[in-house]
Amino acid sequence: MLTRNCLSLLLWVLFDGGLLTPLQPQPQHTLATEPRENVIHLPGQRSHVHRVKRGWVWNQFFVLEEYMGSEPQYVGKLHSDLDKGEGTVKYTLSGDGAGTVFTIDETTGDIHAIRSLDREEKPFYTLRAQAVDIETRKPLEPESEFIIKVQDINDNEPKFLDGPYIASVPEMSPVGAYVLQVKATDADDPTYGNSARVVYSILQGQPYFSIDPKTGVIRTALPNMDREVKEQYQVLIQAKDMGGQLGGLAGTTIVNITLTDVNDNPPRFPKSIFHLKVPESSPVGSAIGRIRAVDPDFGQNAEIEYNIVPGDGGNLFDIVTDEDTQEGVIKLKKPLDFETKKAYTFKVEAANVHLDHRFHSAGPFKDTATVKISVLDVDEPPVFSKPVYTMEVYEDTPVGTIIGAVTAQDLDVGSSAVRYLIDWKSDGDSYFTIDATEGTIATNELLDRESTAQYNFSIIASKVSNPLLTSKVNILINVLDVNEFPPEISVPYETAVCENAKPGQIIQIVSAADRDLSPAGQQFSFKLSPEAAIKPNFTVRDFRNNTAGIETRRNGYSRRQQELYFLPVVIEDSSYPVQSSTNTMTIRVCRCDSDGTILSCNVEAIFLPVGLSTGALIAILLCVVILLAIVVLYVALRRQKKKDTLMTSKEDIRDNVIHYDDEGGGEEDTQAFDIGALRNPKVIEDNKIRRDIKPDSLCLPRQRPPVEDNTDIRDFINQRLQEHDVDPTAPPYDSLATYAYEGDGSVADSLSSIESLTTEADQDYNYLTDWGPRFKVLADMFGEEESYNPDKVT
């Protein structure tokens, strides 16, 4: 209440006392300030002759925020000039917060705030006031608008909306180097008092950093801050309003500051001498040791490059940098040998890759250390004197001939003896042998260059003291050629000559081939054989360039007289010993045109008249085919007729046996019929070859077993034979038509129909093929019949 009275008094002094310049004259129907009270007058209508007292335009009230009183806070008073105090005027209030935040007494026009207000939530309210006649409900004057402003108090502390902060600054930075700017925000009214005036300060982080109280800029406060000593800093910043005075509100934030690295430290070896031990068997290119220089810097500032300082042993080794560990990896460039040199000493230099010129004054950013390498002795396999051995041997060299030797030595201290053997995997056929002690290689079989010109195998050398230590070397043996094969004519072996050829005409160019490995410049010579040189039809012309030409020696050749000529050609080589061969060339006589183009070389063309057309040849061949078809048809019909006759015969079998009126040719006819066969039935079994023909090859037919069921017929024949033997009136014996016993081994089988099969189709005629070319037609006609089946008996 005291504050409100003081405020009212202050306003009255300022405006009524003339201390402030008026904003503008109060126009008609506007709110005016009451000189001595917090009152807004609502002027009514006045006569034009009545002078109106001038006042100051003041259309706003003030109300304190965060009011905590028990009574509603009084804001101000509305009053109209037409209100005579008789209770006929009613005051109304509308606009922001009317009825909810602010209330008005309709009779007196007093305005109160009924709840606490927050300026940060809403800084002012715009309201409208009006005076109304109670009885008529009509406005007494136009509606007037005024503002109620919420007066600020310091109820908000400064806040760091972006905190906590993270910043970095290079190490070794000078004093005052910029780090970061912080900013605090105060929600109070910056235009009223010092409630929003913020001052910055450091509560934690001295003496390393400082802050500007007004701008909040953080800077370094100490020189030469070293990251390797301390890298992380945490600074506590405070912002306080009311200009930092007592009673002000404060807020804090944390700033994490990191010192970034700079290359301010050179690499250093932790010791001056490094000792390494390396086996002499270490392979070239392998890593044999590691050394390391220490650099306290970080990242690329700690990258180190190692180099070997030229000196004793440095050319055998190399050093590279391990990018992950920044170690120097020493590698072997050349093989080590304990027996040659047992120790090596050299220097290694370590230097930074990325330099900072600001710190060159501190000294060179490099360091040097000595590396001593001791070579360890290793039991090694024997060493051959050559990486590859090449030897030569002539083909057909006698078995056991020594063609070369290999040598391997044990180079270790206290050398051991060496044993040799051939790797059986590379010489599985055992063409060579090796002396296990001396290493001499000899042939084990006869070699043939034309079969294999080169041999490639391996020899293994092992130490006697340690057979597991072995070494291997390749052996190449070239087989040298010996002139053992004569030259021969290269294809073709056959050529042609025209009938109208002239003497001296070259009809074919021939060359020679030798299976031997011919040396450079070898020459082949060509000539006719001595027996062909006498009255030759052709000759050989040697061109002296390893080729020769077949030359004609006659004026024209006739195919009718001789179609083929055989020309023996002798070829000799020039190697030692000289080899020669006789090669026969076939020369065929052909019919050619006038230009020498071959028209025909066929054999059948010789027997045809000149000028016989192709159509005529076709007609002749067609006639021959028709004649052959007629013959085959005729033979087939005859066979069919014969088969029908045999199948329909009704004659008595006994008559067919005894009534053959076949007269012989007399006693001088010894070729057609053998009389001895009748006198001695066994003769036919001894002499099974027919005397009237001479077959190329004799194949006996399959013998049929004798039929035991015809004894009555045999007895009948024997009886008739005895009767004729004692009858002096009987005809000559050689013309007797009855046959007593035909025997079992007849080449033609039985001529009687007693044991004949039912049909001719059941008989076997395959034996006809064995009687020679004269019976070929019959064999072709009857050879397709089925063979005789002994199980069937007629």
Side-chain angles (χ1 to χ4, degrees):
M1 207 54 183
L2 179 61
T3 304
R4 184 179 61 185
N5 294 334
C6 292
L7 180 60
S8 302
L9 179 61
L10 177 61
L11 294 174
W12 179 81
V13 171
L14 292 175
F15 290 98
D16 193 58
L19 297 179
L20 294 177
T21 302
L23 296 177
Q24 66 181 46
Q26 178 179 345
Q28 188 71 14
H29 305 298
T30 61
L31 296 177
T33 59
E34 184 69 24
R36 300 182 182 274
E37 294 185 65
N38 202 11
V39 179
I40 294 180
H41 289 273
L42 302 176
Q45 295 181 356
R46 296 178 176 86
S47 60
H48 296 282
V49 297
H50 187 271
R51 186 177 65 86
V52 179
K53 182 180 179 180
R54 293 180 62 87
W56 304 106
V57 176
W58 188 252
N59 60 346
Q60 62 182 2
F61 293 119
F62 292 91
V63 59
L64 292 176
E65 67 170 336
E66 305 294 343
Y67 175 74
M68 304 300 294
S70 58
E71 297 294 333
Q73 182 180 4
Y74 178 75
V75 178
K77 184 181 183 65
L78 296 178
H79 183 73
S80 175
D81 293 342
L82 300 179
D83 186 3
K84 304 301 182 180
E86 298 175 352
T88 60
V89 179
K90 177 183 177 181
Y91 296 96
T92 60
L93 189 65
S94 61
D96 292 342
T100 58
V101 179
F102 303 100
T103 61
I104 189 170
D105 189 320
E106 295 181 353
T107 304
T108 62
D110 293 333
I111 302 174
H112 292 84
I114 58 178
R115 65 180 181 84
S116 177
L117 302 179
D118 187 0
R119 190 201 67 83
E120 288 73 32
E121 179 180 350
K122 191 173 178 65
F124 62 90
Y125 296 85
T126 302
L127 299 171
R128 294 181 298 279
Q130 193 171 35
V132 181
D133 188 280
I134 294 178
E135 294 181 355
T136 61
R137 302 292 182 179
K138 295 181 178 181
L140 298 178
E141 56 187 35
E143 187 179 55
S144 299
E145 184 177 75
F146 64 96
I147 296 174
I148 299 179
K149 297 187 65 175
V150 181
Q151 187 174 349
D152 181 56
I153 63 173
N154 190 18
D155 58 344
N156 293 281
E157 72 279 4
K159 295 181 179 181
F160 293 92
L161 301 180
D162 298 329
Y165 296 89
I166 298 176
S168 62
V169 63
E171 63 172 334
M172 310 302 291
S173 296
V175 175
Y178 176 84
V179 180
L180 179 70
Q181 182 177 14
V182 297
K183 182 176 180 60
T185 302
D186 196 324
D188 292 327
D189 189 0
T191 63
Y192 178 74
N194 294 328
S195 298
R197 182 184 173 190
V198 179
V199 175
Y200 301 95
S201 62
I202 294 180
L203 300 182
Q204 176 184 333
Q206 297 93 347
Y208 305 105
F209 301 95
S210 63
I211 190 170
D212 190 297
K214 295 182 179 180
T215 62
V217 175
I218 301 174
R219 300 180 183 273
T220 58
L222 284 180
N224 301 326
M225 287 191 293
D226 193 355
R227 184 196 69 84
E228 288 72 33
V229 176
K230 185 177 182 181
E231 183 178 6
Q232 299 287 340
Y233 294 88
Q234 191 176 76
V235 180
L236 182 62
I237 304 296
Q238 174 185 267
K240 189 175 183 181
D241 58 12
M242 298 298 294
Q245 302 299 321
L246 295 176
L249 301 179
T252 59
T253 188
I254 293 176
V255 180
N256 293 313
I257 301 176
T258 302
L259 294 182
T260 58
D261 184 63
V262 297
N263 192 10
D264 58 338
N265 295 284
R268 291 287 181 264
F269 284 107
K271 53 185 179 180
S272 59
I273 299 177
F274 292 88
H275 292 276
L276 299 177
K277 295 181 179 181
V278 183
E280 64 173 337
S281 60
S282 299
V284 174
S286 62
I288 60 175
R290 289 172 176 259
I291 61 174
R292 183 178 182 181
V294 179
D295 191 336
D297 292 326
F298 177 76
Q300 69 174 11
N301 296 321
E303 293 181 2
I304 302 175
E305 181 180 13
Y306 296 89
N307 292 288
I308 294 179
V309 179
D312 182 24
N315 57 343
L316 268 72
F317 306 94
D318 192 10
I319 187 169
V320 295
T321 302
D322 188 330
E323 296 182 357
D324 297 329
T325 62
Q326 293 301 311
E327 293 177 318
V329 181
I330 300 176
K331 294 187 176 182
L332 191 62
K333 292 174 58 178
K334 298 180 180 180
L336 300 175
D337 187 7
F338 175 81
E339 289 72 24
T340 304
K341 191 171 184 179
K342 299 177 176 59
Y344 297 89
T345 301
F346 55 89
K347 291 184 179 181
V348 175
E349 181 182 81
N352 279 138
V353 178
H354 305 282
L355 300 178
D356 194 332
H357 301 287
R358 295 177 298 173
F359 304 100
H360 280 182
S361 60
F365 278 71
K366 62 177 64 177
D367 195 13
T368 304
T370 301
V371 178
K372 291 186 176 181
I373 296 179
S374 299
V375 181
L376 302 178
D377 186 26
V378 177
D379 197 8
E380 298 175 304
V383 178
F384 283 96
S385 59
K386 295 180 181 180
V388 177
Y389 289 86
T390 302
M391 304 175 185
E392 294 180 347
V393 60
Y394 281 96
E395 61 178 335
D396 298 329
T397 299
V399 175
T401 303
I402 297 177
I403 60 177
V406 297
T407 304
Q409 294 180 348
D410 181 17
L411 302 180
D412 293 330
V413 177
S415 60
S416 171
V418 178
R419 292 290 180 266
Y420 304 94
L421 60 93
I422 295 179
D423 187 3
W424 64 270
K425 295 181 180 179
S426 60
D427 187 27
D429 296 330
S430 302
Y431 286 101
F432 304 93
T433 60
I434 187 170
D435 187 282
T437 304
E438 301 297 332
T440 57
I441 301 174
T443 59
N444 195 36
E445 292 184 10
L446 289 177
L447 305 180
D448 184 12
R449 190 206 65 81
E450 287 71 31
S451 176
T452 304
Q454 186 183 70
Y455 293 89
N456 185 355
F457 58 93
S458 301
I459 291 180
I460 300 174
S462 62
K463 296 173 63 172
V464 175
S465 60
N466 188 356
L468 296 179
L469 292 176
T470 62
S471 58
K472 186 182 294 187
V473 68
N474 286 336
I475 307 296
L476 294 177
I477 297 181
N478 296 317
V479 181
L480 302 180
D481 184 53
V482 175
N483 192 25
E484 57 183 340
F485 293 99
E488 297 178 353
I489 287 182
S490 301
V491 291
Y493 277 88
E494 183 176 339
T495 186
V497 63
C498 294
E499 288 182 314
N500 55 357
K502 305 298 182 181
Q505 182 178 345
I506 302 298
I507 62 173
Q508 180 66 49
I509 302 296
V510 295
S511 60
D514 196 339
R515 286 187 293 169
D516 292 315
L517 182 62
S518 301
Q522 179 171 340
Q523 293 290 327
F524 298 106
S525 61
F526 302 83
K527 62 181 179 179
L528 280 180
S529 63
E531 62 272 12
I534 302 174
K535 295 182 180 180
N537 294 301
F538 302 91
T539 187
V540 177
R541 181 189 298 179
D542 193 347
F543 295 133
R544 305 299 179 183
N545 60 355
N546 291 340
T547 61
I550 307 301
E551 183 180 356
T552 60
R553 297 293 298 275
R554 289 175 50 184
N555 187 7
Y557 298 85
S558 174
R559 285 187 296 169
R560 295 181 179 275
Q561 295 178 359
Q562 186 173 351
E563 179 191 5
L564 299 176
Y565 291 89
F566 300 97
L567 184 67
V569 180
V570 178
I571 307 176
E572 292 182 353
D573 58 17
S574 59
S575 300
Y576 181 83
V578 176
Q579 298 288 345
S580 65
S581 66
T582 300
N583 304 262
T584 302
M585 288 198 63
T586 301
I587 303 175
R588 184 181 300 276
V589 180
C590 298
R591 185 169 61 90
C592 306
D593 58 10
S594 58
D595 297 332
T597 304
I598 296 177
L599 298 178
S600 174
C601 290
N602 297 330
V603 177
E604 61 272 10
I606 300 175
F607 303 99
L608 294 178
V610 180
L612 191 61
S613 64
T614 304
L617 292 176
I618 295 176
I620 293 173
L621 292 177
L622 184 59
C623 293
V624 172
V625 170
I626 294 174
L627 291 176
L628 290 177
I630 293 173
V631 172
V632 172
L633 181 61
Y634 175 76
V635 173
L637 292 176
R638 290 293 302 272
R639 286 187 58 190
Q640 185 67 30
K641 182 177 180 181
K642 184 176 180 181
K643 291 181 181 180
D644 295 342
T645 305
L646 292 176
M647 294 178 62
T648 57
S649 177
K650 302 298 184 178
E651 294 181 358
D652 186 25
I653 296 177
R654 292 172 295 179
D655 294 339
N656 293 333
V657 173
I658 64 176
H659 290 89
Y660 283 97
D661 297 330
D662 187 7
E663 294 184 357
E667 294 181 354
E668 295 180 357
D669 186 5
T670 59
Q671 298 296 326
F673 188 79
D674 188 5
I675 302 300
L678 296 178
R679 302 180 183 274
N680 189 0
K682 295 183 178 180
V683 174
I684 194 170
E685 297 179 0
D686 298 333
N687 188 9
K688 298 180 180 181
I689 300 178
R690 295 190 56 176
R691 302 177 63 184
D692 56 338
I693 63 171
K694 187 177 180 180
D696 294 336
S697 60
L698 179 61
C699 180
L700 295 179
R702 182 174 55 190
Q703 295 184 1
R704 295 178 295 177
V707 182
E708 301 296 338
D709 297 337
N710 55 358
T711 56
D712 54 344
I713 303 300
R714 186 179 304 168
D715 295 340
F716 172 77
I717 294 175
N718 290 333
Q719 182 181 357
R720 295 294 300 274
L721 179 61
Q722 293 176 3
E723 293 177 356
H724 283 78
D725 286 340
V726 299
D727 187 6
T729 62
Y733 193 84
D734 58 355
S735 62
L736 186 62
T738 59
Y739 299 87
Y741 186 74
E742 299 172 1
D744 298 328
S746 175
V747 177
D749 289 340
S750 177
L751 298 178
S752 174
S753 61
I754 297 176
E755 295 181 357
S756 299
L757 300 178
T758 304
T759 61
E760 289 184 4
D762 297 332
Q763 298 188 37
D764 184 11
Y765 295 98
N766 293 332
Y767 61 89
L768 295 176
T769 58
D770 302 327
W771 286 10
R774 297 182 180 180
F775 295 87
K776 185 176 185 303
V777 177
L778 292 178
D780 294 337
M781 294 173 57
F782 296 96
E784 299 177 354
E785 300 297 331
E786 297 182 357
S787 62
Y788 169 75
N789 189 352
D791 296 335
K792 296 182 181 180
V793 179
T794 304

